[in-house]
Amino acid sequence: AGFPNERTVVANLFKPFVNHFEIFCFVIHCLTTVILVWGMEVLARRFVSNKYKAWLAVLFTLIPFYNLSLGMVDTYSTGVQASSISTCVVIWGINFFLDRKYIATAIIISVATIIHVLEGLDVMMVLSAVLLWEVVNKRASTRTLVSYVAIFSLTAGIYLVLILKAKSVAGNQG
């Protein structure tokens, strides 16, 4: 396959730890779980003022939807995979988006897209549509939307173009 492909980033991040892969996976799993659950708790606290009810909301999201997904991307899984890492990044992107920190959101979602193309791109499209809605209803400026999309396009967008180019070259050779 041409360089890069959708697994290049995670494979290269994992490569230095191949001699201690079990320990590495354990540490990564613990870190991504903590970051994801913390981000979900921050998100839940936006809608539920009682911290115990917010934690219940997080647990009721994770437990019944364990290994259940939309678009084949799990919210939470015991396996260490690109989507696990990307999910814990995406949740913070959503939190920043709700804080109206659109530039930070674009950067965070770009990182998530580079880690897991489908998950990051899906979230970017949804958040872009929400931001467009905000522009139409005059709660955000057109400049904000253009900046948001431009940052994503100049970071993860370039990565996506390289992946598509590599796939088309590989497809023409096969």
Side-chain angles (χ1 to χ4, degrees):
F3 182 83
N5 69 44
E6 64 275 10
R7 293 172 183 85
T8 301
V9 172
V10 173
N12 285 325
L13 288 173
F14 285 17
K15 194 185 302 185
F17 305 100
V18 72
N19 292 332
H20 306 287
F21 201 63
E22 293 83 9
I23 294 168
F24 173 75
C25 286
F26 176 74
V27 170
I28 290 297
H29 178 67
C30 290
L31 284 173
T32 56
T33 299
V34 168
I35 293 167
L36 173 66
V37 170
W38 179 28
M40 291 176 76
E41 190 267 339
V42 169
L43 184 62
R45 290 294 301 263
R46 293 175 184 281
F47 304 103
V48 180
S49 59
N50 181 292
K51 71 177 181 179
Y52 299 108
K53 290 180 182 177
W55 276 107
L56 280 174
V58 170
L59 290 175
F60 285 141
T61 301
L62 289 177
I63 294 169
F65 297 113
Y66 170 75
N67 273 343
L68 195 67
S69 64
L70 295 173
M72 300 307 292
V73 177
D74 303 326
T75 301
Y76 181 74
S77 174
T78 56
V80 174
Q81 52 203 5
S83 64
S84 304
I85 299 166
S86 184
T87 301
C88 78
V89 174
V90 161
I91 195 73
W92 287 100
I94 292 169
N95 279 316
F96 277 84
F97 187 86
L98 293 173
D99 287 337
R100 298 183 172 274
K101 295 178 181 175
Y102 301 123
I103 303 305
T105 301
I107 293 166
I108 291 167
I109 298 302
S110 292
V111 169
T113 303
I114 291 168
I115 294 168
H116 190 279
V117 172
L118 178 62
E119 187 164 352
L121 187 58
D122 286 352
V123 173
M124 178 58 181
M125 290 189 303
V126 169
L127 296 181
S128 295
V130 171
L131 189 52
L132 177 61
W133 181 258
E134 293 289 298
V135 169
V136 168
N137 288 299
K138 302 195 185 315
R139 291 188 295 251
S141 69
T142 302
R143 182 178 180 197
T144 300
L145 176 62
V146 170
S147 298
Y148 178 73
V149 172
I151 289 169
F152 182 83
S153 299
L154 292 172
T155 53
I158 292 171
Y159 179 71
L160 293 172
V161 168
L162 292 172
I163 288 172
L164 290 173
K165 184 177 182 208
K167 287 195 175 290
S168 68
V169 168
N172 290 336
Q173 293 175 354

